[in-house]
Amino acid sequence: MSGKIYPSLLSCFRYVLGVVMLAMQVAGLGGLAYSATQDYTHNVDPFIGVDWGGNTFVGAAIPYGLVKVGPDMETFDGHPSGFGYSSSGVIRGFSHLHLSGAQGKYGNILVAPVTGELTLGDIRTPRTDEVAKVGYYAAKLTRYDVKAELTSSRRVGFHRYTFPASQQSHITIDIAHALSLGTDWQAQKFLGAEIHLTSNHEAQGVARFTGGWNRGGEYRVFYYMVLDTPSKTMQTWTGTTLSDAKDATVGASTPIGASFNFTTKAKQAIQAKVGISFISSEQAKENVRREVPVWNFDMVRAASVSQWNIELAKLSLSGESDSQRRQLYTAMYHIMLMPTDRTGENPDWKSSEPYYDDFYCIWDTYRTSSPLLTLISPDRQRDIIRSLIDIYRHTGYMPDARSGNDNGRTQGGSNANVVVADAFVKGMKGIDYETAFAAMIHDAEVPPADPQKEGRGGLKDYNEKGFVTLADERSGSRTAEYSYDDFAISEVACGLGKTKEAELYSSRSHNFEHLWDKDMKAEGFSGFMRPRNPDGSWAAPYLVIRGTWPDFFYEGDIWTYSIYAPQDMRHLIEMAGGDEAFTHRLDWTFLRRHFDVTNEPGFLLPVLYNYVGRPDRTAEIVRLTLEKAFSDTRAGIPGNDDSGAMSSWLIFSTLGIFPVAGQDVYLISTPSIPDASLSLGGAKQLRIIAKNLDGDGLNRFVQSATLNGVDLPNAWFRHGQIKDGGTLVLTMGPAPSATWGRAMPPPSMSDRDFRLCAGVSRSAVASSR
C-alpha cells in the first residue's frame, strides 16, 4: 500500500462532520459565546521573553490547552533547555507537553523527522527560517532538509513535515524523552514505557515519569499517533537497538521509541496527529477522532487562531506604540497558556467539576493573573476556582502549586485562600464558597505531612506563638504570607456570617507584627522583620539579598517582606515611623536597587506610595520600571514569566491600575496608553482614558480623575464601582498634583471606619447559599 490513506464510508461521514466542527471553531461558534471579527493574533510575538530567564513557551497551543506542542532544544555545546526553547542551538524534536514561564517539567512524546541513515542518540538539527505565531510554529531543519510545521487543538498536536527526495526518510517518536531528566532532587525521572505499532501508520502506548520541579509523584502520558501516509517499513527501538518488533516495553532509564520509514519525493508532505491523554491510549485516540477528525492542517490552525482572537479581543487599545501593542497582546497570550484545562483528563478521580492542572504556581499568579482573569474572563476564573476546590475535596488541600496531576511545591503561604477571597469580595457567582471556606480552614488549622507539597509549614508555631520560628524554613516570608492568607479567610468568614471565625482570623492577620523588630537597623532605617528562635528569642538579623528554600525569606529580602501587609498598610506605615519615614524608605528601596522586579514578592512595592498620599512617586517608579525592565524583544521579560504572572503585572501597570489581590480595591498608578479597554464579560467594559498623555511620557502625573462621570479624588477605587462596566478618565500633567490622591489613602484594617465586610459583594454571599 502506498500514497495517502483513503477513508472508509464511515470515515467519510466523520470527515464531513469534522469539517463542519472545525469550520464552526474557525467562525467562533461551537459553544463560544461570541467571536472576534478582528485579527489580534498578528500583534502577538511568542519570542518575547524566551531569553534571560523568561522561559516563555514557543510552539502551538490553544488557550489553556492541554497540549503545547513545540521544539525541544539544546545549545550547541550540548546543554538541553529546561523549558524547551533556545534562541541558539539545535532542535532535538517536537514534544507535546510544556510549561510557560517556568521550567523543570514535561517535554513528553518527542516527534522528529529525519532523512538519511537513522542514528539513535543523534537526532538533532540546526534550523533556519523559524516562524512562531499564535497557534503555529515552523522551521527548516537544515541537517535533514525538512520543513517542520506545528499546530494543535486542546489535546492533539498536528505535525506537517515537508521532505526532500530521499530513499531514507523517517518520522520518529521518542517515548523516553523529557526535559530536565537527571538525578537531581528536582529533576524528572523516566520510569518506563510501552509502544505498540498497530498499523503501518499508527502507534500508541504510555510513558511514565516522576519528579520535576514540583517533586510530584508518578504521572503517565498516554499517546496515540496516526500518519496520513502509510510507511514503507516500521521499527521500534529499546536502548540502542532497532528492531522489527511491533511492540516494546522498557523499565526505567532505557530509551524506547519507533520509526516510520518512507521513500519520499521532493516536497512531499507527511502529516501526523498525536493525541495525548492522562487516562488511556484509547482516550488519546478518541481525542484525535473528536478534536481533529480531518487531515486539514490549515483549518486546525485557523480554529486555533479563532479561539485566540476571542480571548485577545478582551483588550482594546488606541494610541499605543507598536512596541506597546506587541508587548500587551503577547502578555495576554502568555497569561492564557496556563493553568491547563484537563477537564475529562483526570486520572485520579471522577468528578463533574472542571479540572485544571499546572498551577505553576499560585504563589506567583494570585497577585496579578487571578485578578486579571476575574475581570476579563470571569467564567474561566470561576472554573479554575471550582477546580481548586475539587482538588481539596479529593486530596485534602487546595494546592499552592500543582503539576503532573500532583500537588507541590508550596513556596510560601496557602495563597489559594487569596484567590478564593478575591473572587468572593468581587461577587463571582457559581462557586461553592462553603466548601471553599472549609478548604481555607483546613489550610489554616491542619499541619500537612509534607509542607513543601501542600498546606502550611510551621503551622503549629504560627497558630500557638503567632509566628513561624527558625525551626521551620522560610519562617519570615511564611509568617508574612500566612497573615495575609488569614485576612482572606476572615473576609470570606465575615461574608458567610461566620462571626467567630471572622474574628479569629482577623486577629491572626496581625501575626506579621510578631516578627517586627522596631530596633533592627539597616542602612539608616529602623524596623524590619527579624527571625525568632524556637524559644521565641530574637535570632541574628537576616540580611541575605534573595533567599531560597531553607532561608528566612523566600525569593526576597528585608526590604520587600518587611513592608508586605496589604491588609493593614496604615498600621505598618506607623510601625515604620509614619508617612514621611515610609516614603523615604520606599525611595531608598528603589534608588538603592532593593526592589527586585524579576520576582513576584515585590509586585506591590511601586504602588505602596499610594498609602502615604504620594501617587506621583508611584507614577515615577511604574513608568521607570516599564521602560527599563520590559520590551518587545526576546529578552523583554525581566524574569520567569511564571505562568503569566509577570505578563499580567505588565498589563495592569501599563493601563495604570493595579489590583490588591484578595480585596475589592484597585490602586491607580499612571497610564502609558491614551485609551484602553478591558472587556468585563458580555457588553460590559472598563475603559481607561488618559487625557493629555504624550508619547514621551512626560505627562505621567494624574492631575484629576473621574469614574463614571463622578469626581474621583482618591488614587484608588473599588470593584463595585466598575463591575457593571465603567469609564475611568485620568487627566495627566507634567508635574505632580498638589491635591489629587493625597487626602484619603486606600483602606486598611486599622482605619477608624474599617469594616471587614465592607468589600464583600452581596451577590457573592447569596450565590454561596
Side-chain angles (χ1 to χ4, degrees):
M1 183 178 181
S2 62
K4 300 296 182 184
I5 298 168
Y6 294 98
S8 65
L9 184 61
L10 177 58
S11 296
C12 286
F13 173 75
R14 288 176 174 168
Y15 180 92
V16 173
L17 180 60
V19 170
V20 173
M21 292 168 60
L22 283 172
M24 291 174 67
Q25 292 182 51
V26 173
L29 303 175
L32 299 171
Y34 57 92
S35 63
T37 57
Q38 183 176 343
D39 180 26
Y40 295 89
T41 64
H42 72 279
N43 299 316
V44 175
D45 181 357
F47 288 126
I48 292 177
V50 296
D51 292 342
W52 291 97
N55 295 332
T56 47
F57 169 69
V58 173
I62 68 165
Y64 312 96
L66 183 155
V67 161
K68 295 179 182 64
V69 58
D72 287 355
M73 302 184 182
E74 62 182 33
T75 60
F76 286 115
D77 53 358
H79 294 287
S81 168
F83 69 101
Y85 188 78
S86 176
S87 286
S88 64
V90 297
I91 292 177
R92 299 185 62 187
F94 306 96
S95 70
H96 291 76
L97 298 177
H98 291 92
L99 302 171
S100 184
Q103 57 180 307
K105 198 78 172 183
Y106 300 135
N108 313 106
I109 316 302
L110 187 78
V111 174
V114 176
T115 57
E117 182 178 354
L118 181 61
T119 304
L120 300 180
D122 187 29
I123 300 175
R124 51 179 53 83
T125 172
R127 86 280 192 183
T128 61
D129 303 329
E130 188 174 47
V131 176
K133 297 182 178 180
V134 169
Y136 179 76
Y137 175 85
K140 181 65 175 293
L141 310 183
T142 57
R143 178 182 176 186
Y144 304 124
D145 195 23
V146 173
K147 181 180 180 180
E149 297 174 275
L150 308 173
T151 191
S152 68
S153 65
R154 184 165 79 94
R155 294 176 291 186
V156 180
F158 201 147
H159 307 239
R160 182 165 64 188
Y161 300 116
T162 303
F163 285 87
S166 174
Q167 294 297 311
Q168 297 186 75
S169 294
H170 319 272
I171 291 182
T172 66
I173 180 169
D174 184 343
I175 310 306
H177 173 83
L179 300 172
S180 302
L181 285 172
T183 58
D184 180 75
W185 68 293
Q186 56 184 359
Q188 290 202 101
K189 297 168 182 64
F190 173 61
L191 301 179
E194 298 177 11
I195 188 165
H196 306 283
L197 305 183
T198 55
S199 77
N200 61 7
H201 60 283
E202 294 173 290
Q204 65 183 54
V206 62
R208 299 166 47 232
F209 301 88
T210 190
W213 180 89
N214 76 316
R215 302 177 68 191
E218 179 180 333
Y219 69 96
R220 299 185 178 192
V221 182
F222 295 90
Y223 62 92
Y224 168 75
M225 181 170 79
V226 57
L227 310 177
D228 72 341
T229 303
S231 61
K232 186 176 180 180
T233 61
M234 304 174 294
Q235 294 170 294
T236 58
W237 73 75
T238 56
T240 59
T241 304
L242 279 164
S243 167
D244 291 331
K246 301 299 186 291
D247 303 282
T249 301
V250 300
S253 304
T254 302
I256 181 174
S259 176
F260 292 90
N261 308 315
F262 307 87
T263 297
T264 55
K265 300 176 182 179
K267 297 184 179 180
Q268 180 178 344
I270 299 178
Q271 300 182 113
K273 304 174 193 174
V274 181
I276 299 295
S277 173
F278 290 93
I279 303 296
S280 68
S281 55
E282 287 303 313
Q283 177 146 325
K285 184 176 182 178
E286 180 67 9
N287 291 343
V288 172
R289 188 188 72 79
R290 285 182 176 273
E291 295 182 12
V292 190
V294 300
W295 288 106
N296 192 322
F297 183 95
D298 294 333
M299 185 172 283
V300 173
R301 177 185 174 186
S304 175
V305 168
S306 177
Q307 292 177 68
W308 276 111
N309 270 323
I310 289 170
E311 299 298 336
L312 297 174
K314 295 173 182 177
L315 172 67
S316 178
L317 305 174
S318 178
E320 78 284 4
S321 69
D322 291 343
S323 177
Q324 288 174 322
R325 186 185 317 112
R326 285 191 293 269
Q327 288 184 61
L328 291 188
Y329 280 106
T330 302
M332 289 282 285
Y333 171 75
H334 283 154
I335 68 168
M336 297 177 186
L337 288 170
M338 291 170 64
T340 301
D341 183 359
R342 293 189 183 171
T343 303
E345 291 291 345
N346 187 341
D348 295 324
W349 64 84
K350 292 184 178 180
S351 173
S352 59
E353 289 295 283
Y355 177 60
Y356 283 74
D357 196 54
D358 296 333
F359 295 97
Y360 215 101
C361 303
I362 292 175
W363 182 84
D364 303 292
T365 60
Y366 84 89
R367 309 164 200 261
T368 48
S369 297
S370 289
L372 182 58
L373 292 182
T374 296
L375 274 175
I376 66 174
S377 300
D379 290 346
R380 179 74 66 173
Q381 182 68 0
R382 175 203 64 210
D383 286 353
I384 289 171
I385 294 173
R386 286 173 59 185
S387 176
L388 291 173
I389 297 168
D390 204 45
I391 292 169
Y392 155 73
R393 291 190 184 102
H394 293 91
T395 72
Y397 288 92
M398 291 191 294
D400 195 62
R402 182 178 175 87
S403 190
N405 302 306
D406 198 10
N407 291 351
R409 286 186 281 168
T410 297
Q411 298 171 94
S414 48
N415 294 305
N417 300 167
V418 182
V419 174
V420 171
D422 193 77
F424 186 75
V425 299
K426 293 172 182 174
M428 184 173 288
K429 298 181 180 180
I431 294 171
D432 180 357
Y433 285 112
E434 288 287 351
T435 302
F437 182 72
M440 298 165 86
I441 296 298
H442 191 82
D443 282 334
E445 301 296 339
V446 181
D450 180 356
Q452 279 201 12
K453 180 181 178 69
E454 56 203 358
R456 298 188 186 183
L459 185 61
K460 186 174 185 296
D461 275 349
Y462 177 81
N463 284 349
E464 293 178 359
K465 299 177 180 179
F467 52 88
V468 183
T469 75
L470 288 179
D472 290 279
E473 59 187 13
R474 292 165 282 131
S475 57
S477 48
R478 278 173 160 170
T479 299
E481 291 190 29
Y482 293 176
S483 299
Y484 194 56
D485 296 335
D486 285 342
F487 173 77
I489 296 174
S490 71
E491 288 182 295
V492 177
C494 184
L496 294 178
K498 302 179 186 295
T499 306
K500 180 179 177 181
E501 291 90 341
E503 292 175 353
L504 171 64
Y505 293 103
S506 178
S507 67
R508 286 186 185 175
S509 69
H510 291 280
N511 279 352
F512 73 94
E513 299 173 30
H514 298 148
L515 292 184
W516 181 273
D517 180 1
K518 63 182 177 57
D519 297 319
M520 179 178 162
K521 298 183 184 300
E523 301 180 25
F525 295 89
S526 299
F528 293 90
M529 289 187 77
R530 180 176 173 182
R532 285 188 183 269
N533 294 309
D535 64 1
S537 62
W538 289 118
Y542 179 84
L543 302 177
V544 174
I545 292 176
R546 180 169 172 170
T548 184
W549 291 96
D551 297 312
F552 181 58
F553 292 129
Y554 182 77
E555 297 193 358
D557 61 12
I558 58 171
W559 300 94
T560 297
Y561 279 107
S562 294
I563 55 174
Y564 179 75
Q567 68 274 30
D568 200 352
M569 286 303 302
R570 171 48 45 201
H571 184 51
L572 189 148
I573 289 165
E574 291 170 356
M575 292 165 58
D579 287 1
E580 185 175 346
F582 191 78
T583 300
H584 184 36
R585 178 188 287 233
L586 282 177
D587 290 345
W588 187 267
T589 297
F590 293 109
L591 292 173
R592 296 292 173 166
R593 299 184 180 180
H594 292 306
F595 170 54
D596 181 7
V597 69
T598 71
N599 223 328
E600 286 76 14
F603 271 13
L604 264 177
L605 284 178
V607 292
L608 291 185
Y609 285 110
N610 288 27
Y611 288 90
V612 290
R614 294 305 304 270
D616 57 309
R617 291 281 220 276
T618 288
E620 293 276 28
I621 298 302
V622 167
R623 176 64 71 133
L624 180 67
T625 303
L626 291 173
E627 290 176 352
K628 283 196 168 187
F630 292 87
S631 71
D632 60 346
T633 69
R634 289 180 177 234
I637 298 176
N640 276 349
D641 194 41
D642 287 323
S643 303
M646 203 69 67
S647 289
S648 49
W649 188 95
L650 171 67
I651 291 172
F652 276 122
S653 298
T654 304
L655 298 188
I657 63 173
F658 200 84
V660 183
Q663 301 179 38
D664 70 328
V665 173
Y666 300 89
L667 308 179
I668 298 173
S669 57
T670 181
S672 297
I673 291 176
D675 193 342
S677 296
L678 293 172
S679 171
L680 307 184
K684 298 182 294 183
Q685 284 196 334
L686 169 61
R687 187 180 181 190
I688 302 170
I689 299 172
K691 291 184 176 180
N692 304 328
L693 189 67
D694 62 311
D696 294 326
L698 298 177
N699 292 348
R700 65 185 59 181
F701 303 104
V702 178
Q703 307 297 302
S704 63
T706 63
L707 181 56
N708 300 327
V710 178
D711 181 55
L712 181 67
N714 308 321
W716 60 277
F717 57 90
R718 292 190 180 274
H719 183 80
Q721 295 171 268
I722 62 167
K723 66 181 179 65
D724 296 320
T727 299
L728 175 65
V729 178
L730 304 173
T731 300
M732 312 301 293
S737 167
T739 57
W740 184 83
R742 294 177 180 267
M744 182 180 292
S748 291
M749 292 182 72
S750 59
D751 292 343
R752 284 181 296 178
D753 59 348
F754 177 80
R755 290 185 301 112
L756 187 61
C757 289
V760 175
S761 167
R762 295 185 180 276
S763 62
V765 177
S767 71
S768 69
R769 294 175 176 169

